[in-house]
Amino acid sequence: MRRLNRKKTLNLMKELDAFPKVPESYVETSVSGGTVSLIAFTTIAFLTVMEFTVYRDTWMKYEYEVDKDFTSKLRINIDITVAMRCQYVGADVLDLAETMVASADGLIYEPVIFDLSPQQKEWQRMLQLIQSRLQEEHSLQDVIFKSAFKSASTALPPREDNSLQSPDACRIHGHLYVNKVAGNFHITVGKAIPHPRGHAHLAALVSHESYNFSHRIDHLSFGELIPGIINPLDGTEKIASDHNQMFQYFITIVPTKLHTYKISAETHQFSVTERERVINHAAGSHGVSGIFMKYDISSLMVTVTEEHMPFWQFLVRLCGIIGGIFSTTGILHGFGRFVAEIIFCRFRLGSSKSTSVPLPDGHTSNHLPLSTDNSTH
């Protein structure tokens, strides 16, 4: 009884077979079919390798939403070298809420030499080259996001030479926490002092001849400090042409949440517009000499997520490639054979019509006999 049920089940499964087997003796092979098969297999192998490369790669997905976080603090990461002695300059932040953040809260004033060593100049040249490429190829930013925490540090390397030159510049580096409102970070002559109506800098004891706001921005970023991320102002160097000169940077900050397979962090991207001018009150160019970075925070927040193709989608695309190529090449091969048979049949028919047939009376006929018979009537 079990054997009978098993036999019925096998017969049922045979009836459901959608891939009937044809004996090899019934299959006719041809040179054209072999050529098309070779082309099809080569194309399938090539596209499979390309598809696997796409499957291994990742891409960045950008989503936008309104930033509803107004209470947290914004971190400013600073590393700027000014071509003046540290006792002559002061840095602080004043925001729209009239809140003053002094540099003593997190910045370090370090006497250094303004001119870079050969190794540092090479670092700066490479960083400026990367910046120029980023401005031309915006898609390279995705590569930087994916390589964050994995690439080499973008910080200025220490001097490799033991220069005996006395320090002639001041490196201001560290970080500050400010309110998430528009503000102005600036470096100017004199130390900042509190003032009922804002703030002021004590610059009376510094002569105008010692003013020199030539500067180099080794690093400027907002939010969490992420190694490997290159910001728009990193590697910027400005040389002042006059003692009384103002350098202005207008910065728009966009809060950014970065989620990759390596890290998950909250940082800030920003764009910048630069302007510089000489202060000359007689000519109507008013202002204060120094370096001014006026920043504003966008109300939109960007979420950048690294995505990968699912494995099931890779299988579907792979099956589509294999089946599509087999079907397409089969159709093209059949159509080609059909066209070839029509052409050859016409050629044979035309050559047969031009064949001469001798007649019994010695004349010739160019017409084919309708029938042939071995018997004589």
Side-chain angles (χ1 to χ4, degrees):
M1 188 68 182
R2 290 182 179 178
R3 184 177 299 178
L4 183 60
N5 292 334
R6 183 178 179 182
K7 188 175 181 180
K8 290 182 178 180
T9 304
L10 293 176
N11 292 332
L12 180 61
M13 297 302 296
K14 287 182 180 181
E15 293 179 359
L16 295 177
D17 186 7
F19 308 97
K21 310 301 183 294
V22 180
E24 294 184 0
S25 57
Y26 296 164
V27 178
E28 181 182 357
T29 59
S30 62
V31 177
S32 60
T35 304
V36 173
S37 299
L38 183 61
I39 296 174
F41 290 143
T42 305
T43 307
I44 289 174
F46 175 74
L47 293 181
T48 300
V49 172
M50 296 297 295
E51 190 67 25
F52 183 72
T53 304
V54 174
Y55 170 71
R56 291 187 56 188
D57 194 15
T58 59
W59 61 88
M60 308 305 291
K61 179 182 178 181
Y62 292 82
E63 296 178 330
Y64 302 89
E65 59 180 317
V66 178
D67 185 14
K68 301 179 181 178
D69 184 10
F70 305 106
T71 58
S72 62
K73 294 288 186 178
L74 174 65
R75 171 171 168 159
I76 306 178
N77 306 297
I78 303 163
D79 191 351
I80 302 176
T81 301
V82 185
M84 292 180 66
R85 298 186 182 275
C86 291
Q87 60 266 29
Y88 295 158
V89 295
D92 59 347
V93 177
L94 184 66
D95 59 25
L96 290 182
E98 300 296 331
T99 302
M100 175 182 171
V101 180
S103 60
D105 295 339
L107 297 183
I108 300 174
Y109 291 77
E110 179 184 350
V112 294
I113 300 173
F114 187 76
D115 292 333
L116 298 175
S117 65
Q119 181 180 353
Q120 291 175 330
K121 288 182 179 179
E122 182 66 19
W123 170 87
Q124 186 185 34
R125 188 187 68 83
M126 291 298 299
L127 191 57
Q128 291 176 349
L129 180 61
I130 294 174
Q131 292 285 17
S132 62
R133 294 292 296 173
L134 283 174
Q135 294 177 2
E136 298 174 0
E137 304 286 345
H138 297 286
S139 59
L140 291 178
Q141 187 64 45
D142 294 348
V143 179
I144 293 178
F145 280 150
K146 289 189 285 187
S147 62
F149 275 146
K150 188 174 64 175
S151 59
S153 175
T154 58
L156 178 69
R159 300 185 69 92
E160 76 281 3
D161 58 343
N162 297 323
S163 178
L164 300 178
Q165 180 183 350
S166 59
D168 59 351
C170 184
R171 179 190 176 198
I172 305 173
H173 60 98
H175 60 272
L176 296 173
Y177 287 94
V178 298
N179 298 320
K180 289 189 69 174
V181 295
N184 182 7
F185 169 77
H186 53 274
I187 302 174
T188 187
V189 179
K191 302 299 180 181
I193 57 176
H195 193 274
R197 296 184 179 180
H199 77 297
H201 287 259
L202 187 61
L205 302 178
V206 184
S207 63
H208 286 275
E209 288 73 15
S210 61
Y211 286 14
N212 185 3
F213 284 101
S214 300
H215 61 281
R216 183 177 58 253
I217 304 175
D218 296 325
H219 180 78
L220 179 69
S221 64
F222 300 87
E224 184 178 346
L225 187 60
I226 304 177
I229 297 296
I230 299 177
N231 298 279
L233 286 176
D234 293 354
T236 301
E237 184 176 87
K238 298 291 183 180
I239 304 299
S241 59
D242 192 272
H243 293 291
N244 295 328
Q245 191 160 348
M246 173 189 288
F247 296 91
Q248 293 176 303
Y249 298 93
F250 301 93
I251 300 173
T252 302
I253 305 171
V254 180
T256 304
K257 291 183 179 180
L258 182 61
H259 301 287
T260 67
Y261 290 102
K262 299 293 182 181
I263 62 170
S264 180
E266 294 187 7
T267 182
H268 293 73
Q269 302 179 81
F270 66 91
S271 60
V272 60
T273 303
E274 304 175 14
R275 183 189 178 194
E276 58 182 82
R277 60 187 175 93
V278 176
I279 303 300
N280 189 345
H281 299 286
S285 178
H286 304 290
V288 180
S289 303
I291 304 168
F292 297 86
M293 297 183 177
K294 300 180 179 181
Y295 60 88
D296 193 7
I297 303 176
S298 174
S299 59
L300 292 179
M301 181 175 62
V302 182
T303 302
V304 184
T305 308
E306 184 179 7
E307 292 192 343
H308 186 274
M309 180 188 297
F311 183 70
W312 65 266
Q313 187 175 353
F314 169 71
L315 291 180
V316 171
R317 292 165 65 100
L318 195 61
C319 293
I321 289 174
I322 297 174
I325 290 177
F326 267 119
S327 301
T328 304
T329 53
I331 294 173
L332 293 177
H333 180 242
F335 180 75
R337 291 188 63 180
F338 175 74
V339 173
E341 288 178 357
I342 292 177
I343 295 174
F344 286 136
C345 285
R346 289 186 177 180
F347 178 76
R348 291 173 182 174
L349 184 60
S351 62
S352 299
K353 286 182 178 181
S354 62
T355 303
S356 299
V357 179
L359 296 177
D361 57 357
H363 295 83
T364 58
S365 175
N366 293 329
H367 298 280
L368 288 174
L370 296 178
S371 61
T372 58
D373 195 351
N374 294 328
S375 58
T376 303
H377 300 280

